[in-house]
Amino acid sequence: QVQLVESGGDSVQPGGSLRLSCAASGYTNENYCMAWFRQIPGKDREGVAAIDSDGTAYSADSVKGRFTISKDNLSKTLYLQMNSLKPEDTAMYYCAASHTACSTGYWRDPEIFGYWGQGTQVTVSS
């Protein structure tokens, strides 16, 4: 059973930076698409960035150039470095894992992800 635990959420001012972490456990191989989603109340969950088992990364247009997804296979930790944060980045951020490769193009679809963390809140406000 895959377990995902996020951390690193906080309140920051616009222009600030945060790094989210997601500690993964319980899986026996590395063939997962790992992703970050975010959600605000009343809205659908939005795919922010994803990374394949071979390290190929994908990101939403809204965060390109500001957010970077990475992972450490040894510690089984997924990261999201968020720079130049904007108020519209305010959301609950979730880590997710899927057996479907990110390269299929479906990484933005939360339905393909069978494993989720509990979320960590990011608030960007002056």
Side-chain angles (χ1 to χ4, degrees):
Q1 179 71 15
V2 175
Q3 293 184 321
L4 305 171
V5 180
E6 303 96 332
S7 61
D10 205 343
S11 295
V12 296
Q13 293 189 340
S17 297
L18 280 176
R19 188 175 80 156
L20 305 183
S21 299
C22 172
S25 61
Y27 58 84
T28 58
N29 64 65
E30 304 299 325
N31 294 325
Y32 285 83
C33 171
M34 303 291 296
W36 289 98
F37 283 78
R38 64 187 181 187
Q39 188 172 28
I40 59 175
K43 293 287 185 73
D44 291 336
R45 202 163 283 194
E46 174 194 17
V48 174
I51 188 165
D52 247 329
S53 55
D54 66 357
T56 303
Y58 307 83
S59 60
D61 288 343
S62 59
V63 305
K64 267 189 174 67
R66 300 189 299 122
F67 291 9
T68 302
I69 189 171
S70 62
K71 62 176 181 170
D72 183 332
N73 286 334
L74 194 62
S75 65
K76 293 185 178 178
T77 304
L78 180 72
Y79 300 101
L80 185 67
Q81 178 66 44
M82 304 187 295
N83 299 327
S84 302
L85 282 160
K86 304 175 181 179
E88 51 264 43
D89 295 318
T90 295
M92 184 72 77
Y93 282 72
Y94 297 91
C95 170
S98 171
H99 292 290
T100 302
C102 305
S103 59
T104 61
Y106 292 104
W107 68 267
R108 293 178 183 83
D109 183 356
E111 295 296 321
I112 73 162
F113 290 86
Y115 307 100
W116 293 88
Q118 82 289 349
T120 187
Q121 178 68 37
V122 172
T123 302
V124 185
S125 173
S126 54

